[in-house]
Amino acid sequence: MADFGQIRVLGRALSSAESSPLPAIGAPSRSPIEVRVLVVNTGGTIGMVPHSEGLAPEAKKLAGALSKIPILHDVAYATETKMYHRLGIGYDTLVLPLSKENKRIIYTVTELSPLLDSANMTPSDWGRIAQCLQENYQQHDGFVILHGTDTMAYTASALSFMCENLGKTIILTGSQVPIYELMNDGRANLLGSLLIAGQFVIPEVCLYFYHKLYRGNRVTKVDTESFNAFSSPNLPPLATAEVDIAINWEAVWRANTTKKFEVHTNMNSNVGLLRIFPGITTEAVRAFLQSPLEGVVLETYGSGNAPNNRPDLLAEIKAATDRDVLILNCTQCLRGSVSLIYATGKILIDVGVIPGGDMTPEAALAKLSYILGKPGLSLNEKRKMLSENLRGEMNVMLIGNRITLKDSKFIQGIAKFLSVSCKEELEAVRDALTPALACAAAKIGDVDALKALQSMGGNLSSGDYDGRTPLHVAACEGNLEVVHYLLECGATVYAKDRFGATPLMNAVKFRRLEVISLLRKTGAHFTSQELMNIGTELCRLAFNGDIEGLRAWHLSGVSLKQHGYDGKTPLYVAKTKGHVDVAAFVKSVS
Ligand code: ASN
């Protein structure tokens, strides 16, 4: 039997690429890494049972039922490792069998009350979900939201905007058949979502269904009967979970920011969807556009066309945009984008309608609701934000020349040397070289080299052979400019190298005070498990009179009041050793 006595519980065991299973502090161990995922049950078919009026969600039933399904709960592990006692958790927390990547995904099921058929969801329910994510953000590595399929695309779109500066994986999933039935899709959807949320940092609001992980604001429900219920017509999946979980890292959207995660819950409900159809009456359009409506998604034909032989209709639309109603043009087609190739499309721009690119109507509605709910924005600022790509919800045509892989002299040179020429081979060369080159550039503070790698499509968040990302290296070096640049390129502060260290841990170790402040501002934090022996470390620094070391820990958010293994505090140790300056510092910040 395995020796579980050594198991280290880690709050963050991931790097942006596949992570390595080693603990953060102390000697490397081959024991599995434990990660924590929060499952937020909001309702939906996945947890429904038959009632006289039809299927409806049943409260306080799911965790108990999951605990009896061996692929979703490893009773032996929980018992042998004394999981409940060790982590101080209740029986709504379960653990998956060991994953291929040597991870133990421990997940807690929490329920919103009341559980809803998603047809009953409103923006205030989106707000409750967002609030729950905010409250539990620091304590978990990833999040799975169980939700009905009917309005899952709306909620996923809304949450993608509401979750600002997101750094962790959030996955919505559900099922077409209740998990309590013999043949159902709920088990596989939940398992796939947990495995991805627990093992990969994909800092997006995603939707997982039938082996595929999609960007949440790109999906639409396309089938009422098939298990393959969702489609992402304008963006390929972010990941597929079949024999292996394959992540399409290039497609992953990153927040590009140095700001902390927060949720924006004030969504504006005065928004609507208006679908144009042949013969639509002026009266219907006028009635629809009446105050208090503030934002409309106009669903038009083909590539964004509406009749240009209907001055009555266009006059109603113009009257609305003159009243500052924001109107976004989206196509009724499942795939493709609105464009200006037809006179019937251009005419809408002339009456103040904003082209919505290839956004789904669900994403466009959520975006309007989000932007209209933001206080202090001028009309022009709102119009500008609507045309911009905020969360990967639309493709914006790039103006000017993007450097392509084939244009890069450096990669070209290497490719020639290696005699490769096709796009796939060039990309493989780039992907193999990027981690090492980016880490070297981060070490010497060469932002231009990092920019060049980025412009070739290189992933600046990928780790080298030791799982160390350029952000780890820049944090060690104290290179503030590079740290800034990497964060703005979307580098994740939650990456862990093979020794379990985060960039924040590296910055503290090397006393890089400015870097620590910037990482903290971006939301970097330690988990309680990472700080298990921190009191003893602080006392050691106090004993040595190491004021800079203590300052670094303090800046990283750690309290200097913690006791060492023998119950003494850093203040006591500093005083007894006669380190007056250290004692004064510890006192001033405690
Ligand atoms: N009516 C259900 C819901 O959206 C449909 C489902 O989950 N499959 O809650």
Side-chain angles (χ1 to χ4, degrees), residues 479-495:
N479 206 321
L480 195 62
E481 196 194 348
V482 173
V483 171
H484 225 283
Y485 175 73
L486 289 168
L487 292 173
E488 284 183 340
C489 290
T492 173
V493 294
Y494 302 109

Side-chain angles (χ1 to χ4, degrees), residues 280-558:
I280 188 169
T281 65
T282 322
E283 291 72 29
V285 174
R286 187 183 308 137
F288 188 86
L289 295 175
Q290 282 313 299
S291 172
L293 203 72
E294 294 175 65
V296 181
V297 179
L298 190 68
E299 293 186 66
T300 55
Y301 308 130
S303 50
N305 310 318
N308 64 352
N309 61 357
R310 290 280 309 273
D312 55 321
L313 208 64
L314 294 168
E316 289 303 332
I317 294 173
K318 175 145 188 346
T321 58
D322 285 348
R323 291 196 304 273
D324 294 349
V325 175
L326 294 170
I327 307 186
L328 254 183
N329 185 359
C330 286
T331 176
Q332 294 176 11
C333 294
L334 188 60
R335 178 168 293 123
S337 177
V338 301
S339 68
L340 304 179
I341 48 175
Y342 295 101
T344 45
K346 220 193 133 288
I347 191 84
L348 287 175
I349 303 255
D350 298 340
V351 293
V353 174
I354 305 159
D358 60 352
M359 262 187 288
T360 60
E362 291 93 329
L365 188 81
K367 190 171 180 178
L368 271 171
S369 173
Y370 169 73
I371 289 172
L372 284 165
K374 283 242 151 218
L377 293 175
S378 69
L379 183 68
N380 273 344
E381 284 167 334
K382 289 179 198 160
R383 291 181 66 93
K384 185 163 170 282
M385 278 176 87
L386 283 170
S387 322
E388 285 170 353
N389 185 8
L390 302 183
R391 305 280 194 274
E393 73 281 5
M394 67 196 287
N395 271 335
V396 178
M397 289 296 168
L398 284 173
I399 301 158
N401 291 335
R402 186 175 180 270
I403 304 172
T404 70
L405 197 54
K406 290 210 168 204
D407 295 331
S408 150
K409 282 213 176 76
F410 176 76
I411 287 281
Q412 284 274 337
I414 293 183
K416 213 166 169 183
F417 181 68
L418 297 172
S419 357
V420 295
S421 58
C422 74
K423 185 171 168 283
E424 288 71 24
E425 282 178 328
L426 280 171
E427 280 174 357
V429 171
R430 177 200 61 197
D431 292 345
L433 290 177
T434 297
L437 290 177
C439 285
K443 165 106 179 132
I444 56 172
D446 190 343
V447 175
D448 287 340
L450 290 169
K451 282 185 185 156
L453 287 166
Q454 159 95 342
S455 65
M456 280 185 249
N459 176 6
L460 296 187
S461 295
S462 54
D464 67 6
Y465 37 82
D466 269 340
R468 295 187 54 72
T469 65
L471 192 59
H472 281 97
V473 177
C476 285
E477 294 304 316
N479 206 321
L480 195 62
E481 196 194 348
V482 173
V483 171
H484 225 283
Y485 175 73
L486 289 168
L487 292 173
E488 284 183 340
C489 290
T492 173
V493 294
Y494 302 109
K496 280 203 167 178
D497 66 16
R498 69 179 300 189
F499 312 105
T502 56
L504 181 62
M505 188 66 98
N506 284 176
V508 169
K509 184 154 185 219
F510 289 89
R511 292 102 196 266
R512 306 299 189 188
L513 303 188
E514 288 179 317
V515 172
I516 296 170
S517 301
L518 181 55
L519 292 172
R520 288 282 295 155
K521 192 171 140 249
T522 312
H525 61 86
F526 292 123
T527 59
S528 48
Q529 291 87 2
E530 276 177 296
L531 298 176
M532 240 161 0
N533 299 319
I534 189 62
T536 301
E537 170 67 6
L538 296 174
C539 288
R540 189 185 66 78
L541 294 169
F543 184 89
N544 293 336
D546 191 342
I547 197 164
E548 277 306 284
L550 288 165
R551 204 187 298 282
W553 281 111
H554 166 65
L555 258 187
S556 73
V558 167

Side-chain angles (χ1 to χ4, degrees), residues 43-46 48 116-119 147-151 175-176 221:
T45 297
I46 191 163
M48 285 191 186
L116 293 173
D117 185 307
S118 76
H147 195 287
T149 56
D150 288 347
T151 65
S175 69
Q176 295 282 60
K221 183 172 174 180

